Amino acid sequence: MSHVKLFIPGPVEVSAKTQQAMIQPLMGHRSKDFQALYERIMPGLKTLFGTTQPVFLSTSSAWGAMEGSIRNLVTKKVLNCCCGAFSDKWYDVSLNCGKQAEALKVAWGQPITPEAVDERLATGEFDAITVVHNETSTGVLNPLREIAAVVKKYPGVSLITDTVSSFSTVPIGFDELGLDVMLLGTQKALALPPGMALFAISEAALAKAGTLKDRGYYFDFVEFRKNADNYMTPSTPVIPLIFALESKLEDIFNEGLENRYARHARLNGLVHDWVRRHGFECFAPEGYRSKSLTCVANNREIDTAKLVSLMKKNHLMAIDGGYGKIKGTTFRLSNMGDETDATIAELIAALDDSLAKL
Ligand SMILES: *Cc1c(COP(=O)(O)O)cnc(C)c1O
């Protein structure tokens, strides 16, 4: 059956194998069968996160875990690093949770610098910081390793990291970098349907969460940990997505992690070649460019809405015409998930054709 294939940066195209995995018969979530399922996927998840900590499954999109991190880990004040739509919104969420918060802002398209983080944390005002690793709206990959090294100088400051669109596309070691929370949603880099968030928490962060009184129930880190020790979740989980995740882990380890990272880098490079060939530019500066999507600066001032519609009408492909305030001045192409040299070649041929018809 033909359908519009998703090259937007989330949700991305879901394979037939993944869809098939989701329709397995259900089990009770307090059953041995469920515990066995969660136990089966745990080692693969730990490897992907680069951690010895348990990985938690939240039946929510990524924002659930993002809000939960604020509610569980901010006692004094949080520094929200803002460099695009998702990271900017995290600051609003902090305020909506009734927390003291400060926005560390850079212009959209620019990365967060470790120096700026250092300068703000040195004030001693903060006990948490949020960083979006791959800012999906601008295509900026922030220097997480360098930022994490700076945060380490300030014990007691929890480093909360969103890896929604970078997870498993570039190496990110939770333990090695000393992160306190690392979270993602299923519908982007993992190419699963939307509806579940995965996250890891450091021991230090978990201990801190235990001291907070108003962390709520649905995203209570202490509850997640207690349940995961028994391979369970606090509330009824989205079991079909966990089946899908099990199938996806099989795909990832069959391919091999290094091959998966190399594939994302190579396919992203093919898209960048297309960008240059047509006289466009990347919105993100060299050295800070995402490997899982490309945010193209519309320096040629083409009609991006028309490009999006030609791609859909003539080629059954969905691309993105730019997010929020950079809609029209940018457009975005995803190479996340299961894309291959062949499917990216199809995308590029379709883009060439559509550009010629503008
Ligand atoms: C998509 C996205 C989110 C939000 O995901 P939801 O699934 O809508 O909760 C957060 N952060 C980044 C970087 C994203 O790309």
Side-chain angles (χ1 to χ4, degrees):
M1 206 174 61
S2 65
H3 67 283
V4 176
K5 183 170 171 180
L6 299 179
F7 283 101
I8 56 173
V12 306
E13 192 68 10
V14 173
S15 72
K17 174 177 180 272
T18 297
Q19 298 208 3
Q20 202 58 38
M22 303 223 318
I23 61 171
Q24 295 173 68
L26 292 174
M27 71 261 286
H29 66 292
R30 299 295 177 217
S31 69
K32 290 239 178 311
D33 285 343
F34 179 79
Q35 289 175 302
L37 169 65
Y38 195 173
E39 191 171 1
R40 278 201 304 281
I41 62 171
M42 190 68 94
L45 291 175
K46 287 183 177 181
T47 302
L48 283 185
F49 274 75
T51 187
T52 57
Q53 297 297 319
V55 173
F56 305 112
L57 307 175
S58 166
T59 296
S60 67
S61 74
W63 273 114
M66 291 165 82
E67 176 171 312
S69 299
I70 299 297
R71 293 199 61 180
N72 277 268
L73 295 176
V74 181
T75 58
K76 271 187 349 198
K77 189 174 180 182
V78 57
L79 183 66
N80 297 114
C81 298
C82 298
C83 63
F86 295 104
S87 48
D88 283 11
K89 191 166 158 186
W90 216 347
Y91 170 63
D92 298 334
V93 170
S94 300
L95 296 176
N96 284 339
C97 289
K99 302 292 186 180
Q100 295 287 318
E102 180 180 307
L104 169 57
K105 278 192 190 209
V106 295
W108 281 28
Q110 293 305 307
I112 299 294
T113 66
E115 293 78 17
V117 169
D118 201 4
E119 196 183 306
R120 293 312 299 148
L121 292 186
T123 62
E125 289 174 35
F126 303 96
D127 74 329
I129 174 173
T130 65
V131 178
V132 171
H133 185 209
N134 198 53
E135 178 46 82
T136 317
S137 62
T138 63
V140 166
L141 186 67
N142 281 304
L144 182 59
R145 175 174 295 276
E146 290 77 7
I147 292 170
V150 164
V151 177
K152 259 206 201 102
K153 294 187 353 194
Y154 303 96
V157 177
S158 306
L159 173 49
I160 306 166
T161 318
D162 165 331
T163 60
V164 172
S165 57
S166 55
F167 182 77
S168 81
T169 72
V170 291
I172 314 162
F174 180 83
D175 291 350
E176 187 211 344
L177 297 183
L179 308 182
D180 288 295
V181 177
M182 174 167 154
L183 63 92
L184 61 127
T186 43
Q187 80 276 22
K188 295 195 186 164
L190 282 178
L192 302 175
M196 190 162 73
L198 282 62
F199 62 104
I201 314 170
S202 69
E203 285 295 342
L206 199 68
K208 184 188 195 179
T211 67
L212 266 77
K213 294 266 176 290
D214 55 355
R215 48 184 201 272
Y217 169 68
Y218 199 70
F219 299 108
D220 179 357
F221 286 179
V222 179
E223 280 293 324
F224 270 93
R225 177 58 189 265
K226 243 192 281 176
N227 278 274
D229 283 345
N230 265 326
Y231 296 107
M232 285 193 202
T233 55
S235 58
T236 317
V238 60
I239 295 172
L241 271 175
I242 304 176
F243 288 140
L245 177 58
E246 183 179 35
S247 161
K248 179 54 63 187
L249 289 172
E250 193 180 273
D251 299 344
I252 291 174
F253 291 108
N254 280 343
E255 179 178 20
L257 266 184
E258 292 306 320
N259 291 338
R260 182 175 171 87
Y261 301 144
R263 174 168 60 83
H264 281 86
R266 185 176 73 249
L267 301 185
N268 190 248
L270 293 175
V271 177
H272 285 199
D273 289 345
W274 178 86
V275 168
R276 276 188 291 272
R277 195 155 67 239
H278 288 282
F280 289 111
E281 284 157 22
C282 288
F283 191 57
E286 179 88 57
Y288 300 96
R289 291 177 185 157
S290 168
K291 297 289 179 213
S292 59
L293 73 121
T294 305
C295 184
V296 187
N298 185 14
N299 50 290
R300 284 181 48 185
E301 297 184 7
I302 60 159
D303 183 344
T304 54
K306 192 165 177 205
L307 178 69
V308 169
S309 95
L310 287 172
M311 287 291 285
K312 182 170 178 195
K313 192 165 60 114
N314 296 337
H315 300 282
L316 288 177
M317 291 180 188
I319 63 165
D320 176 84
Y323 196 108
K325 68 183 182 192
I326 52 173
K327 188 181 172 82
T329 56
T330 61
F331 57 98
R332 298 180 302 162
L333 307 165
S334 167
N335 61 279
M336 281 178 228
D338 304 325
E339 301 310 331
T340 61
D341 292 85
T343 64
I344 293 295
E346 281 165 21
L347 170 69
I348 286 171
L351 284 166
D352 283 341
D353 177 67
S354 302
L355 207 53
K357 293 195 166 76
L358 278 182

